[in-house]
Amino acid sequence: MEVIHTDVLVIGGGLAGLRAALAARKRGQKVLILSLVPPKRSHSAAAQGGMQASLGNTAKGAGDNEDVHFEDTVRGSDWGADQEVARMFVHTAPKAVRELAAWGVPWNRVEAGPHEVIIDSQRVTLDEPQAAHGLIAARDFGGTKKWRTCYVSDGTGHAMLYAVSDQTVAENIPVHERMEAVSLIHDGVRCYGAIVRNLANGKLLAYVARATCIATGGFGRIYRATTNAVINEGIGAAIALETGVVPLANMEAVQFHPTAIFPAGILVTEGCRGDGGLLRDVDGHRFMPDYEPEKKELASRDVVSRRMEAHIRSGKGASNRFGEHLWLDITLLGEAHINGKLREVKEICQHFLGIDPARHWIPVRPAQHYSMGGIRTDAHGAAYGLRGLFACGEAACWDLHGFNRLGGNSVAETVVAGMIVGEAIADFCATPEGDMHVSTALVRDCWEHESARFADLAASRGTESASALLQRMQTIMSENVGIVRNGEALGAAVEELKTLLLRSWQIGLRSSSPGANPELTTAWRVQKMLKLALCVAHGALQRTESRGAHFRDDYPRRDDAQWLKRTLAYWRDPEQRVPTLEYEALDVRRMELPPGWRGYGARDAIEHPETARRQTEIEQIRARLADADRNAVQQALMPFRHLLPPHLRGPNARLEETA
Amino acid sequence: MISILHRKTGTLPPRRLCIQVLRHNPADPASVPHLQPYEIEEAEGMTLFIALNEIRAAQDPSVQFDFVCRAGICGSCAMLIDGRPGLACRTLTRDLGTTITLAPLPFFELIGDLSVNTGKWMRGTAERLQTWIHDATPVAIDTLETPMDPDLAEAIYELDRCIECGCCIAGCGTAQMREDFVGAIGLNKIARFRLDPRDQRSDDDFYELIGDDDGVFGCMSLLGCHDVCPKQLPLQTQIAYLRRKMAVIGFSS
Ligand SMILES: Cc1cc2nc3c(=O)[nH]c(=O)nc-3n(C[C@H](O)[C@H](O)[C@H](O)COP(=O)(O)OP(=O)(O)OC[C@H]3O[C@@H](n4cnc5c(N)ncnc54)[C@H](O)[C@@H]3O)c2cc1C
């Protein structure tokens, strides 16, 4: 058994993992990163549209600040977000974007003077102030009051990931590529690292660490139609779940993106609509204003996706031989704009559809896109249940996004959370608790247990096929646990997924090639993915309300009285077939922004008994501090700065405020 | 992609494709490199990503290949497609003949079948060429960012779009002869950081990194890189420009 020791083990080389690793490294920790693929190939590279941060440099961003970003984020989350975390996030996002600028991200910059844009299908001339010339620009995105999404053409994630990855090279942080964490080393109280499989030769190793951070991204591949990369299988979340003591939170909160090209599921960015693109139906009619007169195409993603599916069901879908879809029209943006600011979109349309988006409409249909749920952590990224275990990025439920994430808030979350959680990891390592007394027997037990599992699976003569089970699971999830849900379909999904889980214990392999046999890899993963699918489906079945991306047509109202709480899914007994669900209430009495109408979508929520009281209290505080500045008011409503590391507490400079 | 090349589907029966994969598993002492043919039925809009996954799911679960984003963005799936380096995920089978030959990218360490270790090579290149912004001043995160000319930002992005797929190296005459040649990818990175005013390195510093035959003077201007770059980076002009700049340093030192 080969054992590798380090202070900090970061599992995941996407934006979140790399940024957390850098933070811990800069505090003097010995850090090591594991990744399935070279880090620059992580799915963060695929983020196109941009990163939200309230710099307020542009004409349409004027007046933006942390307060506006905070409200947009909480409304977007349909009040599922942890508001303290949302505050920490909006406060740190401008710092993160400026740090990335210094690290070389070529953010698009403001060009002073008049320029033409398309807003609500009209040509409008905006005049950018001279003082802002050369500062970081921003585009419009769904669910935001201001143009706040900083961008690098439509290759934002690529540019960010390369800059951050290059920083880890500069800091000499080793990345062990083609390595998959297959279980956590723990004793039920503390985590000591992970058992890891080398995907090039199939060998198992033990990585022993004082602190372990899971940053393995989302789990979109449990669905059939998804914008996610093929490596987004959620194994990081699954191995946390399998400890039996770490819960996954809000797994039923799954986001569907309105504009995935049909049928391939490849994303074209929300920036298409942000920059003025329209959604059209079979008749060429622009239908979104009929449903959402205020935000139109730029309501939040859950709302737009739902409206699109409803429009298709009403018989207005266009169709091709693969099925029904709608159209995304960006022809009105013109060739120059598309060539400059939407070039990935252009390439995708050329290569996968054989069309030129400057001249043809793009066939689109909503597809799974983002996992709001994940490993439940506190505001510092410490996982519930195991000391020494942390999580950040899409793999975590830090709970910035609640039941719906705003576009542009995710890549922003990865770097912001990386900055904060990496710091917390270093703090942890500096305390006596961070010292480690791990018994070699425990490490050996974990390694032997995992080795036996792989050996058994490799030798299995079972009759089930891993790829058949995988495909069936993906179909069930897309059909029964998708955009519009109901008790009957969800119940059927849970039953069948339970059967699939049983069947997955009978998987037999057809091949036995030495090294890292890809069939063995799939067989092993599918058992884990089924558990995640069950957390999503079972959580959705039990949640008898509609909130954000979780929509049930048998319970169409948001029910704050019953359901203003976070789902925690545990898998305590390896033999159990469905997760044990527990709930964690959100405290209205401490909210800065108590539940209300989002500004789009339905407005018929069932009120929480505390909401009115908290609202009155807030109004009193605001009245009392009528002359105070916005920071003092905010501080009185819901203090959060103490939760941030000291070097991230300072105020953010803005053009308007410095002028 | 020119649309005339696209075969009309519709009434014609689907084609039978023969996909030949160059198989070799270095982890298996008994393995000998050989071409293995797989027959599949073509479907509309089929890419090599779809075809290879179908082969793995239905015919041979042991075939090794690498896909990640499957959208032409991450650079994982570069391979030789009928002898030419390209991204498999966005190659449509309808643009190819009925017999398609797939081989791993040459030059890089073979992991198995179509899977090669580009990651290790890219990390080595990043360390060697120090592909990060060199600026000793501490990053100020609370103040306004330093302004940058909008056109300059776009010009940097133009060079920043490299996805490190390795196609340029596989298409490079020099790389076949000089193991340590940094290739178009390395030279493009230097051009990118040289253009960036945030990087404090001088031309003398860059000369140290690429001013020899393993760097910019090793390029024979055969332009194999330029022709195969899936992101259509302006490699030809960038390398020529860099060579002129570096030659000046070379003469003056
Ligand atoms: C097509 C697309 C476009 C998007 N566009 C935007 C956008 O414009 N703006 C925005 O804000 N958000 C966007 N998002 C969302 C955003 O990109 C992701 O949420 C974010 O990048 C996730 O980053 P991450 O670091 O958490 O995970 P990832 O980048 O997915 O990285 C996960 C890492 O974990 C590693 N890993 C996984 N499992 C294991 C394991 N078991 N062992 C070892 N390593 C493992 C992987 O190798 C990888 O390095 C988009 C998402 C998609 C799918």
mmCIF file with all atom_site columns, all heavy atoms in Angstrom, chain A residues 280-285 287 311 315-319 325-327 361:
data_model
loop_
_atom_site.group_PDB
_atom_site.id
_atom_site.type_symbol
_atom_site.label_atom_id
_atom_site.label_alt_id
_atom_site.label_comp_id
_atom_site.label_asym_id
_atom_site.label_entity_id
_atom_site.label_seq_id
_atom_site.pdbx_PDB_ins_code
_atom_site.Cartn_x
_atom_site.Cartn_y
_atom_site.Cartn_z
_atom_site.occupancy
_atom_site.B_iso_or_equiv
_atom_site.pdbx_formal_charge
_atom_site.auth_seq_id
_atom_site.auth_comp_id
_atom_site.auth_asym_id
_atom_site.auth_atom_id
_atom_site.pdbx_PDB_model_num
ATOM 1   N N   . ARG A 1 280 ? -38.164 32.325 -29.477 1.00 0.00 ? 280 ARG A N   1
ATOM 2   C CA  . ARG A 1 280 ? -39.299 32.317 -30.399 1.00 0.00 ? 280 ARG A CA  1
ATOM 3   C C   . ARG A 1 280 ? -39.890 30.912 -30.482 1.00 0.00 ? 280 ARG A C   1
ATOM 4   O O   . ARG A 1 280 ? -39.199 29.930 -30.253 1.00 0.00 ? 280 ARG A O   1
ATOM 5   C CB  . ARG A 1 280 ? -38.853 32.754 -31.793 1.00 0.00 ? 280 ARG A CB  1
ATOM 6   C CG  . ARG A 1 280 ? -38.267 34.165 -31.842 1.00 0.00 ? 280 ARG A CG  1
ATOM 7   C CD  . ARG A 1 280 ? -38.040 34.578 -33.287 1.00 0.00 ? 280 ARG A CD  1
ATOM 8   N NE  . ARG A 1 280 ? -37.378 35.854 -33.392 1.00 0.00 ? 280 ARG A NE  1
ATOM 9   C CZ  . ARG A 1 280 ? -37.994 37.040 -33.317 1.00 0.00 ? 280 ARG A CZ  1
ATOM 10  N NH1 . ARG A 1 280 ? -39.314 37.091 -33.132 1.00 0.00 ? 280 ARG A NH1 1
ATOM 11  N NH2 . ARG A 1 280 ? -37.304 38.162 -33.430 1.00 0.00 ? 280 ARG A NH2 1
ATOM 12  N N   . ASP A 1 281 ? -41.178 30.854 -30.870 1.00 0.00 ? 281 ASP A N   1
ATOM 13  C CA  . ASP A 1 281 ? -41.830 29.547 -30.974 1.00 0.00 ? 281 ASP A CA  1
ATOM 14  C C   . ASP A 1 281 ? -41.985 29.112 -32.434 1.00 0.00 ? 281 ASP A C   1
ATOM 15  O O   . ASP A 1 281 ? -41.392 29.715 -33.334 1.00 0.00 ? 281 ASP A O   1
ATOM 16  C CB  . ASP A 1 281 ? -43.161 29.549 -30.214 1.00 0.00 ? 281 ASP A CB  1
ATOM 17  C CG  . ASP A 1 281 ? -44.172 30.507 -30.821 1.00 0.00 ? 281 ASP A CG  1
ATOM 18  O OD1 . ASP A 1 281 ? -43.952 30.965 -31.974 1.00 0.00 ? 281 ASP A OD1 1
ATOM 19  O OD2 . ASP A 1 281 ? -45.172 30.798 -30.140 1.00 0.00 ? 281 ASP A OD2 1
ATOM 20  N N   . VAL A 1 282 ? -42.804 28.101 -32.646 1.00 0.00 ? 282 VAL A N   1
ATOM 21  C CA  . VAL A 1 282 ? -42.965 27.523 -33.983 1.00 0.00 ? 282 VAL A CA  1
ATOM 22  C C   . VAL A 1 282 ? -43.418 28.576 -34.997 1.00 0.00 ? 282 VAL A C   1
ATOM 23  O O   . VAL A 1 282 ? -43.062 28.521 -36.174 1.00 0.00 ? 282 VAL A O   1
ATOM 24  C CB  . VAL A 1 282 ? -43.946 26.321 -33.943 1.00 0.00 ? 282 VAL A CB  1
ATOM 25  C CG1 . VAL A 1 282 ? -45.341 26.775 -33.523 1.00 0.00 ? 282 VAL A CG1 1
ATOM 26  C CG2 . VAL A 1 282 ? -43.990 25.590 -35.274 1.00 0.00 ? 282 VAL A CG2 1
ATOM 27  N N   . ASP A 1 283 ? -44.174 29.574 -34.533 1.00 0.00 ? 283 ASP A N   1
ATOM 28  C CA  . ASP A 1 283 ? -44.656 30.619 -35.445 1.00 0.00 ? 283 ASP A CA  1
ATOM 29  C C   . ASP A 1 283 ? -43.686 31.792 -35.554 1.00 0.00 ? 283 ASP A C   1
ATOM 30  O O   . ASP A 1 283 ? -44.008 32.812 -36.160 1.00 0.00 ? 283 ASP A O   1
ATOM 31  C CB  . ASP A 1 283 ? -46.005 31.173 -34.951 1.00 0.00 ? 283 ASP A CB  1
ATOM 32  C CG  . ASP A 1 283 ? -47.017 30.063 -34.734 1.00 0.00 ? 283 ASP A CG  1
ATOM 33  O OD1 . ASP A 1 283 ? -47.043 29.135 -35.575 1.00 0.00 ? 283 ASP A OD1 1
ATOM 34  O OD2 . ASP A 1 283 ? -47.756 30.109 -33.731 1.00 0.00 ? 283 ASP A OD2 1
ATOM 35  N N   . GLY A 1 284 ? -42.562 31.682 -34.904 1.00 0.00 ? 284 GLY A N   1
ATOM 36  C CA  . GLY A 1 284 ? -41.623 32.810 -34.902 1.00 0.00 ? 284 GLY A CA  1
ATOM 37  C C   . GLY A 1 284 ? -42.022 33.877 -33.888 1.00 0.00 ? 284 GLY A C   1
ATOM 38  O O   . GLY A 1 284 ? -41.403 34.938 -33.806 1.00 0.00 ? 284 GLY A O   1
ATOM 39  N N   . HIS A 1 285 ? -43.063 33.586 -33.096 1.00 0.00 ? 285 HIS A N   1
ATOM 40  C CA  . HIS A 1 285 ? -43.558 34.561 -32.119 1.00 0.00 ? 285 HIS A CA  1
ATOM 41  C C   . HIS A 1 285 ? -42.644 34.615 -30.902 1.00 0.00 ? 285 HIS A C   1
ATOM 42  O O   . HIS A 1 285 ? -42.222 33.585 -30.378 1.00 0.00 ? 285 HIS A O   1
ATOM 43  C CB  . HIS A 1 285 ? -44.979 34.157 -31.721 1.00 0.00 ? 285 HIS A CB  1
ATOM 44  C CG  . HIS A 1 285 ? -45.526 34.958 -30.578 1.00 0.00 ? 285 HIS A CG  1
ATOM 45  N ND1 . HIS A 1 285 ? -45.764 36.309 -30.661 1.00 0.00 ? 285 HIS A ND1 1
ATOM 46  C CD2 . HIS A 1 285 ? -45.881 34.579 -29.318 1.00 0.00 ? 285 HIS A CD2 1
ATOM 47  C CE1 . HIS A 1 285 ? -46.236 36.738 -29.494 1.00 0.00 ? 285 HIS A CE1 1
ATOM 48  N NE2 . HIS A 1 285 ? -46.321 35.713 -28.668 1.00 0.00 ? 285 HIS A NE2 1
ATOM 49  N N   . PHE A 1 287 ? -42.468 34.704 -27.356 1.00 0.00 ? 287 PHE A N   1
ATOM 50  C CA  . PHE A 1 287 ? -43.528 34.376 -26.395 1.00 0.00 ? 287 PHE A CA  1
ATOM 51  C C   . PHE A 1 287 ? -43.229 34.778 -24.957 1.00 0.00 ? 287 PHE A C   1
ATOM 52  O O   . PHE A 1 287 ? -44.141 34.868 -24.139 1.00 0.00 ? 287 PHE A O   1
ATOM 53  C CB  . PHE A 1 287 ? -43.833 32.865 -26.434 1.00 0.00 ? 287 PHE A CB  1
ATOM 54  C CG  . PHE A 1 287 ? -42.624 32.013 -26.134 1.00 0.00 ? 287 PHE A CG  1
ATOM 55  C CD1 . PHE A 1 287 ? -42.347 31.603 -24.837 1.00 0.00 ? 287 PHE A CD1 1
ATOM 56  C CD2 . PHE A 1 287 ? -41.759 31.641 -27.152 1.00 0.00 ? 287 PHE A CD2 1
ATOM 57  C CE1 . PHE A 1 287 ? -41.214 30.842 -24.557 1.00 0.00 ? 287 PHE A CE1 1
ATOM 58  C CE2 . PHE A 1 287 ? -40.626 30.876 -26.877 1.00 0.00 ? 287 PHE A CE2 1
ATOM 59  C CZ  . PHE A 1 287 ? -40.361 30.475 -25.577 1.00 0.00 ? 287 PHE A CZ  1
ATOM 60  N N   . HIS A 1 311 ? -44.896 26.230 -22.790 1.00 0.00 ? 311 HIS A N   1
ATOM 61  C CA  . HIS A 1 311 ? -45.218 26.706 -24.138 1.00 0.00 ? 311 HIS A CA  1
ATOM 62  C C   . HIS A 1 311 ? -45.165 25.544 -25.136 1.00 0.00 ? 311 HIS A C   1
ATOM 63  O O   . HIS A 1 311 ? -46.015 25.428 -26.020 1.00 0.00 ? 311 HIS A O   1
ATOM 64  C CB  . HIS A 1 311 ? -44.248 27.819 -24.538 1.00 0.00 ? 311 HIS A CB  1
ATOM 65  C CG  . HIS A 1 311 ? -44.784 28.719 -25.611 1.00 0.00 ? 311 HIS A CG  1
ATOM 66  N ND1 . HIS A 1 311 ? -45.908 29.504 -25.440 1.00 0.00 ? 311 HIS A ND1 1
ATOM 67  C CD2 . HIS A 1 311 ? -44.375 28.942 -26.891 1.00 0.00 ? 311 HIS A CD2 1
ATOM 68  C CE1 . HIS A 1 311 ? -46.153 30.175 -26.556 1.00 0.00 ? 311 HIS A CE1 1
ATOM 69  N NE2 . HIS A 1 311 ? -45.240 29.843 -27.453 1.00 0.00 ? 311 HIS A NE2 1
ATOM 70  N N   . GLY A 1 315 ? -48.498 23.278 -27.387 1.00 0.00 ? 315 GLY A N   1
ATOM 71  C CA  . GLY A 1 315 ? -48.552 23.005 -28.824 1.00 0.00 ? 315 GLY A CA  1
ATOM 72  C C   . GLY A 1 315 ? -47.757 23.983 -29.670 1.00 0.00 ? 315 GLY A C   1
ATOM 73  O O   . GLY A 1 315 ? -47.841 23.967 -30.896 1.00 0.00 ? 315 GLY A O   1
ATOM 74  N N   . LYS A 1 316 ? -46.969 24.825 -29.028 1.00 0.00 ? 316 LYS A N   1
ATOM 75  C CA  . LYS A 1 316 ? -46.270 25.868 -29.790 1.00 0.00 ? 316 LYS A CA  1
ATOM 76  C C   . LYS A 1 316 ? -44.802 25.549 -30.059 1.00 0.00 ? 316 LYS A C   1
ATOM 77  O O   . LYS A 1 316 ? -44.027 26.417 -30.460 1.00 0.00 ? 316 LYS A O   1
ATOM 78  C CB  . LYS A 1 316 ? -46.375 27.201 -29.028 1.00 0.00 ? 316 LYS A CB  1
ATOM 79  C CG  . LYS A 1 316 ? -47.771 27.791 -29.050 1.00 0.00 ? 316 LYS A CG  1
ATOM 80  C CD  . LYS A 1 316 ? -48.123 28.209 -30.458 1.00 0.00 ? 316 LYS A CD  1
ATOM 81  C CE  . LYS A 1 316 ? -49.523 28.823 -30.517 1.00 0.00 ? 316 LYS A CE  1
ATOM 82  N NZ  . LYS A 1 316 ? -49.913 29.061 -31.925 1.00 0.00 ? 316 LYS A NZ  1
ATOM 83  N N   . GLY A 1 317 ? -44.398 24.314 -29.779 1.00 0.00 ? 317 GLY A N   1
ATOM 84  C CA  . GLY A 1 317 ? -43.007 23.952 -30.026 1.00 0.00 ? 317 GLY A CA  1
ATOM 85  C C   . GLY A 1 317 ? -42.742 23.769 -31.509 1.00 0.00 ? 317 GLY A C   1
ATOM 86  O O   . GLY A 1 317 ? -43.622 23.348 -32.262 1.00 0.00 ? 317 GLY A O   1
ATOM 87  N N   . ALA A 1 318 ? -41.535 24.103 -31.945 1.00 0.00 ? 318 ALA A N   1
ATOM 88  C CA  . ALA A 1 318 ? -41.105 23.724 -33.285 1.00 0.00 ? 318 ALA A CA  1
ATOM 89  C C   . ALA A 1 318 ? -40.651 22.270 -33.176 1.00 0.00 ? 318 ALA A C   1
ATOM 90  O O   . ALA A 1 318 ? -40.494 21.759 -32.065 1.00 0.00 ? 318 ALA A O   1
ATOM 91  C CB  . ALA A 1 318 ? -39.950 24.605 -33.729 1.00 0.00 ? 318 ALA A CB  1
ATOM 92  N N   . SER A 1 319 ? -40.453 21.596 -34.296 1.00 0.00 ? 319 SER A N   1
ATOM 93  C CA  . SER A 1 319 ? -39.955 20.239 -34.128 1.00 0.00 ? 319 SER A CA  1
ATOM 94  C C   . SER A 1 319 ? -39.006 19.847 -35.234 1.00 0.00 ? 319 SER A C   1
ATOM 95  O O   . SER A 1 319 ? -39.074 20.362 -36.351 1.00 0.00 ? 319 SER A O   1
ATOM 96  C CB  . SER A 1 319 ? -41.102 19.243 -33.998 1.00 0.00 ? 319 SER A CB  1
ATOM 97  O OG  . SER A 1 319 ? -41.792 19.175 -35.211 1.00 0.00 ? 319 SER A OG  1
ATOM 98  N N   . HIS A 1 325 ? -38.778 21.507 -29.782 1.00 0.00 ? 325 HIS A N   1
ATOM 99  C CA  . HIS A 1 325 ? -37.849 22.490 -29.232 1.00 0.00 ? 325 HIS A CA  1
ATOM 100 C C   . HIS A 1 325 ? -38.376 23.894 -29.493 1.00 0.00 ? 325 HIS A C   1
ATOM 101 O O   . HIS A 1 325 ? -39.426 24.067 -30.100 1.00 0.00 ? 325 HIS A O   1
ATOM 102 C CB  . HIS A 1 325 ? -36.466 22.307 -29.880 1.00 0.00 ? 325 HIS A CB  1
ATOM 103 C CG  . HIS A 1 325 ? -36.453 22.579 -31.361 1.00 0.00 ? 325 HIS A CG  1
ATOM 104 N ND1 . HIS A 1 325 ? -36.283 23.831 -31.887 1.00 0.00 ? 325 HIS A ND1 1
ATOM 105 C CD2 . HIS A 1 325 ? -36.637 21.743 -32.425 1.00 0.00 ? 325 HIS A CD2 1
ATOM 106 C CE1 . HIS A 1 325 ? -36.339 23.769 -33.213 1.00 0.00 ? 325 HIS A CE1 1
ATOM 107 N NE2 . HIS A 1 325 ? -36.568 22.509 -33.565 1.00 0.00 ? 325 HIS A NE2 1
ATOM 108 N N   . LEU A 1 326 ? -37.642 24.897 -29.056 1.00 0.00 ? 326 LEU A N   1
ATOM 109 C CA  . LEU A 1 326 ? -37.972 26.288 -29.371 1.00 0.00 ? 326 LEU A CA  1
ATOM 110 C C   . LEU A 1 326 ? -36.749 26.909 -30.054 1.00 0.00 ? 326 LEU A C   1
ATOM 111 O O   . LEU A 1 326 ? -35.745 26.232 -30.242 1.00 0.00 ? 326 LEU A O   1
ATOM 112 C CB  . LEU A 1 326 ? -38.351 27.040 -28.091 1.00 0.00 ? 326 LEU A CB  1
ATOM 113 C CG  . LEU A 1 326 ? -39.678 26.547 -27.487 1.00 0.00 ? 326 LEU A CG  1
ATOM 114 C CD1 . LEU A 1 326 ? -39.771 26.902 -26.016 1.00 0.00 ? 326 LEU A CD1 1
ATOM 115 C CD2 . LEU A 1 326 ? -40.882 27.089 -28.260 1.00 0.00 ? 326 LEU A CD2 1
ATOM 116 N N   . TRP A 1 327 ? -36.866 28.183 -30.407 1.00 0.00 ? 327 TRP A N   1
ATOM 117 C CA  . TRP A 1 327 ? -35.761 28.828 -31.112 1.00 0.00 ? 327 TRP A CA  1
ATOM 118 C C   . TRP A 1 327 ? -35.135 29.933 -30.269 1.00 0.00 ? 327 TRP A C   1
ATOM 119 O O   . TRP A 1 327 ? -35.845 30.692 -29.608 1.00 0.00 ? 327 TRP A O   1
ATOM 120 C CB  . TRP A 1 327 ? -36.255 29.484 -32.405 1.00 0.00 ? 327 TRP A CB  1
ATOM 121 C CG  . TRP A 1 327 ? -36.863 28.558 -33.403 1.00 0.00 ? 327 TRP A CG  1
ATOM 122 C CD1 . TRP A 1 327 ? -38.184 28.455 -33.720 1.00 0.00 ? 327 TRP A CD1 1
ATOM 123 C CD2 . TRP A 1 327 ? -36.177 27.619 -34.248 1.00 0.00 ? 327 TRP A CD2 1
ATOM 124 N NE1 . TRP A 1 327 ? -38.376 27.508 -34.715 1.00 0.00 ? 327 TRP A NE1 1
ATOM 125 C CE2 . TRP A 1 327 ? -37.159 26.981 -35.048 1.00 0.00 ? 327 TRP A CE2 1
ATOM 126 C CE3 . TRP A 1 327 ? -34.830 27.250 -34.399 1.00 0.00 ? 327 TRP A CE3 1
ATOM 127 C CZ2 . TRP A 1 327 ? -36.828 25.996 -35.984 1.00 0.00 ? 327 TRP A CZ2 1
ATOM 128 C CZ3 . TRP A 1 327 ? -34.503 26.282 -35.331 1.00 0.00 ? 327 TRP A CZ3 1
ATOM 129 C CH2 . TRP A 1 327 ? -35.502 25.655 -36.107 1.00 0.00 ? 327 TRP A CH2 1
ATOM 130 N N   . TRP A 1 361 ? -31.727 30.827 -36.722 1.00 0.00 ? 361 TRP A N   1
ATOM 131 C CA  . TRP A 1 361 ? -32.129 30.642 -35.337 1.00 0.00 ? 361 TRP A CA  1
ATOM 132 C C   . TRP A 1 361 ? -31.555 29.320 -34.816 1.00 0.00 ? 361 TRP A C   1
ATOM 133 O O   . TRP A 1 361 ? -31.377 28.370 -35.574 1.00 0.00 ? 361 TRP A O   1
ATOM 134 C CB  . TRP A 1 361 ? -33.654 30.599 -35.220 1.00 0.00 ? 361 TRP A CB  1
ATOM 135 C CG  . TRP A 1 361 ? -34.298 31.898 -35.601 1.00 0.00 ? 361 TRP A CG  1
ATOM 136 C CD1 . TRP A 1 361 ? -33.684 33.092 -35.807 1.00 0.00 ? 361 TRP A CD1 1
ATOM 137 C CD2 . TRP A 1 361 ? -35.700 32.105 -35.817 1.00 0.00 ? 361 TRP A CD2 1
ATOM 138 N NE1 . TRP A 1 361 ? -34.618 34.044 -36.138 1.00 0.00 ? 361 TRP A NE1 1
ATOM 139 C CE2 . TRP A 1 361 ? -35.849 33.480 -36.149 1.00 0.00 ? 361 TRP A CE2 1
ATOM 140 C CE3 . TRP A 1 361 ? -36.831 31.294 -35.750 1.00 0.00 ? 361 TRP A CE3 1
ATOM 141 C CZ2 . TRP A 1 361 ? -37.110 34.034 -36.429 1.00 0.00 ? 361 TRP A CZ2 1
ATOM 142 C CZ3 . TRP A 1 361 ? -38.075 31.839 -36.021 1.00 0.00 ? 361 TRP A CZ3 1
ATOM 143 C CH2 . TRP A 1 361 ? -38.210 33.203 -36.357 1.00 0.00 ? 361 TRP A CH2 1
#
